[in-house]
Amino acid sequence: MARWERSVEIDATPARVWSIMSDVEKWPEWTSSIESVQLPVPLALGAAAVVKAKGTSKATWRVTEWNPGRNFTWATSLRGAKTVGEHVIEGNGEGKSRVILAIEVKGFMAGLFRPLISKVITTNLDLESAGLKRRSEAA
């Protein structure tokens, strides 16, 4: 198993951050890490989205955990590995948020893929966390 994680402090309420983070079809507007998202139904537990991330193949991500306003997790399987994406918002009680974004690659091929995918994943997590902060803090 391999795991990458980013945490970012955002000067916006958890509700504001959630409204942006959970609207996955608009991600290409605020992060260059995502080239396209196709979501035929609203994002919810069990929903599937086809996502094309920078430096990766298109993949179908299915929501496996859904707690509106707090977090969602989705997963995809590709080339002998299962990839899980976590998106968590924590409020601080003062109208600010802390967001944790994580990617975890599991399975037999995870260790083999790590050197090949590490740079793409870290770059994309950096772009996504910075873009979410910018969009959430914009008036």
Side-chain angles (χ1 to χ4, degrees):
M1 177 177 72
R3 183 176 172 88
W4 298 262
E5 185 174 296
R6 291 294 177 273
S7 174
V8 60
E9 301 293 325
I10 299 178
D11 190 13
T13 65
R16 167 121 174 106
V17 176
W18 176 258
S19 71
I20 293 163
M21 188 171 73
S22 64
D23 192 358
V24 296
E25 287 183 297
K26 291 186 180 173
W27 283 13
E29 294 176 8
W30 54 262
T31 178
S32 60
S33 66
I34 301 297
E35 295 175 11
S36 66
V37 177
Q38 299 166 326
L39 181 66
V41 298
L43 196 64
L45 187 62
V50 177
V51 179
K52 171 64 175 95
K54 184 178 183 177
T56 71
S57 302
K58 269 188 183 179
T60 300
W61 291 79
R62 185 166 305 279
V63 178
T64 59
E65 184 177 352
W66 179 254
N67 296 297
R70 295 184 42 217
N71 73 294
F72 78 91
T73 301
W74 57 6
T76 189
S77 294
L78 187 65
R79 298 184 187 117
K82 180 178 181 179
T83 303
V84 177
E86 300 172 9
H87 309 78
V88 179
I89 302 170
E90 299 171 345
N92 72 354
E94 298 174 12
K96 297 182 182 184
S97 306
R98 178 175 179 247
V99 173
I100 301 164
L101 304 173
I103 294 288
E104 188 170 276
V105 182
K106 304 175 181 181
F108 173 72
M109 300 299 284
L112 294 173
F113 285 158
R114 186 179 184 123
L116 301 172
I117 61 176
S118 188
K119 183 170 176 50
V120 169
I121 290 174
T122 56
T123 298
N124 284 350
L125 283 173
D126 289 343
L127 290 169
E128 186 176 331
S129 60
L132 182 60
K133 179 176 176 65
R134 253 188 329 274
R135 177 61 70 100
S136 297
E137 292 178 350

